Amino acid sequence: LSDAVSDDDFLDGTLLTCQSFHIDRGGLLRVSSAGHPPPLLLTRAGSAEALPVRGPLPGMAAHEGYRQHHTQLTAGDKVIFATDGFFDVFGPPAENNAPAALLALLPPLAVTDAVQTAQSLWQSFEAAACQAAHGADDATLIVLQYGEA
């Protein structure tokens, strides 16, 4: 990916981020990131954390690969993928690259399904975006749930 961006005159002048993931049938999540905010893990038990997935923007590290992070999911765990536009309205990132205000919203959502979690987070995003001093960036939110809750 990084080589393709670096070698392309148009893409080389473009800022983009991406993330790639795979969840196998046994619940093993494999994820790599290219300049994208970290995915968030919300366990069925209610713990929430940003996964330690980092990588340079595509094109910034030509001829280098991206590291895969592995996490074992259990039934009912949710993985939350969001763009920086979503993250930014919740305030500055903490040490783990996720805004503390966003992480604080997650534990009560452990008992909801993926659709309800996404709806609740999006409502919180819209409310925070209305309060933000700067204009909101484009935002994408994806909530995946492994197995039944």
Side-chain angles (χ1 to χ4, degrees), residues 115-129:
V115 172
Q116 293 167 323
T117 298
Q119 289 172 338
S120 179
L121 289 174
W122 194 258
Q123 288 172 352
S124 296
F125 164 78
E126 288 179 330

Side-chain angles (χ1 to χ4, degrees), residues 3-67:
D3 291 348
V5 171
S6 179
D7 294 343
D8 185 285
D9 290 337
F10 174 75
L11 291 177
D12 192 39
T14 304
L15 179 66
L16 63 114
T17 67
C18 67
Q19 222 161 40
S20 174
F21 69 92
H22 177 262
I23 302 172
D24 70 19
R25 291 177 190 228
L28 182 63
L29 168 68
R30 294 176 182 92
V31 60
S32 295
S33 181
H36 202 70
L40 307 176
L41 174 62
L42 175 59
T43 68
R44 182 177 60 177
S47 67
E49 66 176 308
L51 296 176
V53 179
R54 290 180 182 74
L57 291 167
M60 298 298 287
H63 312 295
E64 289 188 29
Y66 290 90
R67 290 189 185 133

Side-chain angles (χ1 to χ4, degrees), residues 49-109:
E49 66 176 308
L51 296 176
V53 179
R54 290 180 182 74
L57 291 167
M60 298 298 287
H63 312 295
E64 289 188 29
Y66 290 90
R67 290 189 185 133
Q68 256 186 23
H69 174 78
H70 299 98
T71 298
Q72 183 61 51
L73 303 175
T74 59
D77 289 350
K78 293 183 215 52
V79 183
I80 299 153
F81 298 93
T83 58
D84 59 337
F86 185 86
F87 271 45
D88 289 349
V89 301
F90 292 101
E95 282 183 36
N96 56 7
N97 273 349
L102 176 56
L103 286 172
L105 294 173
L106 297 180
L109 299 175

